[in-house]
Each structure stands twice: as C-alpha cells, then as structure tokens.
C-alpha cells in the first residue's frame, strides 16, 4: 500500500482530490494528462516503428501493479485528470483490466483511455469496459487487408475491424483510429479512410510519420505532410472543430455529410508544442518530459518504496527542465529509438 502524503490522506482511509497546484511549466502549459506505457513489448512489427519486432534482451520488468498505484496517486495529487495506457502493445498485458480499474478508482482521475493495435480488442473489450475504460484509440494503418499485413506483419485486419465494431456495439461513441500515412505504402488509403467515415462513427486521425533514432532512412522515403491532407479536406468541405479542454495538439475536422470525423496530428507544424498537455512515463518508470528528449527522470526508486511523496517531489522538480518544444525539424530525435519504447 503506497504511503500517501498527509495532505492527500484522510480520515477513514478515503482519499480527497489534488492537494498540489496542477503541474505547470515555465511556458504556462498545464499537465493534466498522463500517458503511461505499461509494456514496451509488442506483438506487431510495424515497418515505421519496430520493423524487426520487439527485441527483449535483458530489459527491466515493467512496473507492477503496486508501483503503478503509487505512480497514479502521485500524478492524481498533482492534478492529473486523464490517463492513457499505451505501450508497446498494452493489450498483451494480462492484468490490463486491473490497471484500468486502478486508474478509474484513483481519486481525481476522470478519464481512462487506451491506445492499442487492436489485436485482442474483440474479445477483451467487454472486460476492459467493465473495468472502467472510457475511450479507445485503435491503430489501423490501412483498410486494405494485404497492405495492412505488409505494414504491421499481421494479416488480421478483419479481426481488428470487428473489434472496433464490437466496441461501438458496447457504446463507445468516439473511437479514434490512428493511421500513419506512408508515401511508399498506404497513401492510396486517404480517400478510402474518408469514404469509410461517411457511415462509420469514428475519428480517423492521420499522424505524420515522425523520425526516430531507428527509422531515419524510412522517414526520408515515406514522410507525408499533414498540411497537404488539410488542404484536401478543406477543399472537400470539411471544417476544423474547436478543441476540448483535455484534448491535445490534434486538429479535428467534421463534415455535415459524414458520420465520423477526420483528425490530423502534425508534430512538425510550427505551433504543435504550444498546446502540449501531457507527460509520459515509460514502462520501467522513467518520466519523459517530451516524446523526443535526451533526459528522463527515474521514478522507480520511489515507486519501489511506495513513496508517493518522493514521486511527487521528483516530478515537480523535473518540470522546469521541460523545453518549449521538440527539435524534430532539425532532425533531433533525442534518445527515442522508436515510439514503442514510450508509447507514442
Ligand atoms: N501498440 C499500440 C498501437 O500501435 O496503437 C500503442 C503504441 S504505438 C507506439 C502508439 C501510436 O504511435 C500508434 O498509433 C502508432 O501508429 C504511432 N507511431 C509509432 N511510431 C510512429 C512514428 N515513427 N511516427 C508516427 N507515429 C508513430
Ligand atoms: Fe507495436 Fe504499436 Fe509500434 Fe505497431 S506502432 S509496432 S503496434 S508499438
């Protein structure tokens, strides 16, 4: 059982809300959103992320449930309202339902979301829903089964799509579909995805391919800018939507004739980092102030001790080091070899 700070612990064992000011950095950005990687292992081999599959040699074990409970208490005390569980592939963690319900029962955390490749969505979504999962992002890089298999290494597009259908049946109303458009592989899917959302009530978000330490040549050969997609959408009568309070840097577009929406995530655009609202913790307990940075703060020593106060202090002390932006446009990818290591 984590040791709560006296300000957060209360009589009768009940916890009250945040006792510290919400985390804010030197640029006035507030951080109420935690992206927590629960494993860096993945069963897919996406060609832009882990083309040779996950290599597991001598890695520390991912945070266990007790460590995660301590981490959640610390972030909640600092004003975190939304937690996204990601990976690697979070769906391969057997205790994912327990982690979801742990997030959900942490005082102050209002929304629990998951980013998954959809591999076991269809049979696990009822359990995850029962555990309290509020929102899901599913990565689908192509609606063409052959192309999907070529990109991900798994010929299972129908299974992923039926998982999405199942989630809709269960009442998930704004499922987000992540697609990375790649010049040499799936650019022809742009129109197909737009047609798909005519009747499919989901938001398809095109993520600009990001350069990482491991994909430099692939990046140069496959990069497509979100701006070109934006012009195309505006010409077709799509309009940009207002952002919600806990929303991130994605731009979303709607159209009166379409059941779903289109989103663009453009990390290379000029003001992308101005609306940064998230902090990241890797599966081994390292706090990353930016997806692309050199320095991480190791929270695990505090988590191992169940030390909520020490975790809070370490998070607060590190925040002044958060830079105004990434330096991706200069080809600087920090120590990020691939996004599976921190969760994208
Ligand atoms: N395995 C899960 C999945 O694929 O949804 C969660 C982790 S994955 C790293 C999270 C997201 O990052 C996915 O939508 C994936 O497409 C995206 N991603 C991975 N590498 C990327 C890259 N180099 N550039 C842009 N997006 C990337
Ligand atoms: Fe795995 Fe997600 Fe990376 Fe694909 S994008 S290899 S599913 S972590």
């Amino acid at each position: 059982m984590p040791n709560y700070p006296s300000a957060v612990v209360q009589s009768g064992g009940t916890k009250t809300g945040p006792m510290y000011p919400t985390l804010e950095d030197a640029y006035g950005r507030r951080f109420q959103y935690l992206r927590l990687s629960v494993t860096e292992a993945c069963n897919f081999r996406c060609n832009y992320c882990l083309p040779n599959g996950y290599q597991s040699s001598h890695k520390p074990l991912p945070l266990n449930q007790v460590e995660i409970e301590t981490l959640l208490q610390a972030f909640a005390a600092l004003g975190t309202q939304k937690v996204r569980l990601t990976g690697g592939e979070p769906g391969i963690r057997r205790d994912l339902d327990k982690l979801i319900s742990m997030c959900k029962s942490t005082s102050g955390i209002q929304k629990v979301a998951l980013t998954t490749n959809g591999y076991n969505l269809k049979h696990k979504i009822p359990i995850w829903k029962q555990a309290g999962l509020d929102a899901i992002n599913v990565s689908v890089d192509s609606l063409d089964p052959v192309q999907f298999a070529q990109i991900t290494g798994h010929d299972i597009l129908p299974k992923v799509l039926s998982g999405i259908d199942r989630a809709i049946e269960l009442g998930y109303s704004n499922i987000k579909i992540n697609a990375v458009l790649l010049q040499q592989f799936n650019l022809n899917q742009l129109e197909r995805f737009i047609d798909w959302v005519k009747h499919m009530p989901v938001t398809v978000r095109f993520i600009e391919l990001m350069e990482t330490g491991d994909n430099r040549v692939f990046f140069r050969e496959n990069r497509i800018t979100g701006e070109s997609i934006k012009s195309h959408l505006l010409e077709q009568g799509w309009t940009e939507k207002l952002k919600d309070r806990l929303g991130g840097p994605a731009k979303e577009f709607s159209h009166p004739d379409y059941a779903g929406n289109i989103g663009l995530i453009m990390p290379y655009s000029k003001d992308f980092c101005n609306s940064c609202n998230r902090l990241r913790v890797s599966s081994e307990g390292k706090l990353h102030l930016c997806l692309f940075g050199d320095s991480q703060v190791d929270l695990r020593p505090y988590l191992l001790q169940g030390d909520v106060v020490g975790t809070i202090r370490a998070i607060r002390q590190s925040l002044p080091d958060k830079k105004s932006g990434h330096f991706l446009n200069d080809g600087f990818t920090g120590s990020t070899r691939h996004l599976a290591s921190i969760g994208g």
Side-chain angles (χ1 to χ4, degrees), residues 40-187:
E40 70 164 40
C42 186
N43 53 342
F44 275 24
R45 298 187 297 277
C46 299
N47 55 7
Y48 51 86
C49 182
L50 289 176
N52 302 315
Y54 173 65
Q55 312 293 320
S56 65
S57 58
H58 308 302
K59 298 275 176 62
L61 288 172
L63 298 179
N64 64 30
Q65 290 176 24
V66 179
E67 291 168 303
I68 289 177
E69 189 183 0
T70 302
L71 183 83
L72 292 170
Q73 292 300 338
F75 272 94
L78 291 166
T80 294
Q81 296 180 7
K82 174 177 170 184
V83 176
R84 174 172 302 282
L85 301 176
T86 178
E89 175 45 40
I92 63 178
R93 213 171 138 151
R94 294 223 176 107
D95 60 354
L96 185 61
D97 56 326
K98 301 215 170 46
L99 302 182
I100 292 168
S101 59
M102 192 184 285
C103 293
K104 199 63 189 172
S105 60
T106 301
S107 174
I109 294 175
Q110 295 164 16
K111 187 167 177 182
V112 186
L114 177 73
T115 299
T116 173
N117 63 23
Y119 183 82
N120 47 17
L121 183 63
K122 188 175 179 182
H123 72 278
K124 286 291 180 68
I125 188 61
I127 303 166
W128 296 340
K129 181 161 199 283
Q130 202 174 17
L133 186 67
D134 296 299
I136 324 167
N137 291 9
V138 189
S139 298
V140 181
D141 289 316
S142 178
L143 291 172
D144 174 315
V146 174
Q147 210 174 54
F148 180 93
Q150 187 189 20
I151 294 171
T152 64
H154 279 265
D155 189 5
I156 56 157
L157 177 66
K159 177 172 147 174
V160 173
L161 295 181
S162 60
I164 295 168
D165 290 340
R166 184 86 182 95
I168 293 172
E169 280 162 24
L170 287 176
Y172 285 97
S173 61
N174 188 14
I175 298 174
K176 295 191 170 125
I177 307 299
N178 290 344
V180 180
L181 286 183
L182 307 162
Q183 186 75 45
Q184 297 179 334
F185 295 90
N186 59 357
L187 188 51

